[in-house]
Amino acid sequence: KDVPLDPGEVYELQNVLKPSNTEMEIVERADVTDLDETSIQSILSRLRGTTSEEEKLSRIHITDKQGRVLFAGLLVTGKYPQQFYPRLVIDVAAHAGTRKAEAGSPRFLDHSICEGTIPEMIDEAISVTLRNLRTYSVVEGSGRRDLPEIPPEVLREAVANAVIHREYHPYFQGQPVSVDIYSDRVEITNP
């Protein structure tokens, strides 16, 4: 049947075979003071070689050769990337039933906007999700072990994939990654 495509679908069709290089774009209003020195030193300590710190930062795409902050570098090592990209967050919401905002129920039971660098957002999203899942107790000998209904490793993989494989092109930067927790499932979506 003839169904018009929405603007996102048109964009996707036009650009499906074009590799995105958004992660290599310069963040015009940012400079190296907007990067977290502890995060940078943690990354640089794992690199081999006798090159300068500036060259190492350029090689791993935190900055370009002129020392300007790159999009990917800001998202991974920035002090607060949302200062420049306010909607690049993970939006986690726990719903009362099996649908969003069912009649007669609260809009959501828990809601959190996870901000910070990519690793910080992923960690917070997993934490918020785990606190909204059921926990089961398994008896082992004279003790017990509490297990969430979805293992943390599974949540980490799913949330990390959603963040890493989202589209970062400016057309989609106004849309967050979403984690919706329902009574019977967890849905993770990304632009």
Side-chain angles (χ1 to χ4, degrees), residues 80 82 89-92 110-132 155-156 159 179 181:
Y80 184 63
Q82 288 73 27
V89 297
I90 303 175
D91 185 343
V92 182
D110 190 8
H111 184 243
S112 185
I113 301 293
C114 306
E115 299 176 316
T117 62
I118 287 176
E120 291 167 341
M121 289 189 298
I122 291 170
D123 288 343
E124 185 179 351
I126 292 165
S127 176
V128 172
T129 303
L130 285 171
R131 81 171 176 234
N132 284 286
L155 288 174
R156 176 169 299 284
V159 173
V179 178
I181 306 158

Side-chain angles (χ1 to χ4, degrees), residues 111-185:
H111 184 243
S112 185
I113 301 293
C114 306
E115 299 176 316
T117 62
I118 287 176
E120 291 167 341
M121 289 189 298
I122 291 170
D123 288 343
E124 185 179 351
I126 292 165
S127 176
V128 172
T129 303
L130 285 171
R131 81 171 176 234
N132 284 286
L133 295 177
R134 291 182 289 268
T135 302
Y136 300 101
S137 295
V138 177
V139 176
E140 294 177 337
S142 62
R144 76 170 203 209
R145 188 167 43 119
D146 292 333
L147 301 171
E149 63 182 320
I150 300 174
E153 302 81 22
V154 172
L155 288 174
R156 176 169 299 284
E157 183 70 19
V159 173
N161 279 340
V163 173
I164 292 166
H165 296 293
R166 71 161 287 156
E167 178 56 67
Y168 284 99
H169 186 276
Y171 185 83
F172 296 97
Q173 288 176 5
Q175 301 171 36
V177 169
S178 297
V179 178
D180 290 297
I181 306 158
Y182 299 96
S183 61
D184 62 345
R185 68 192 184 283

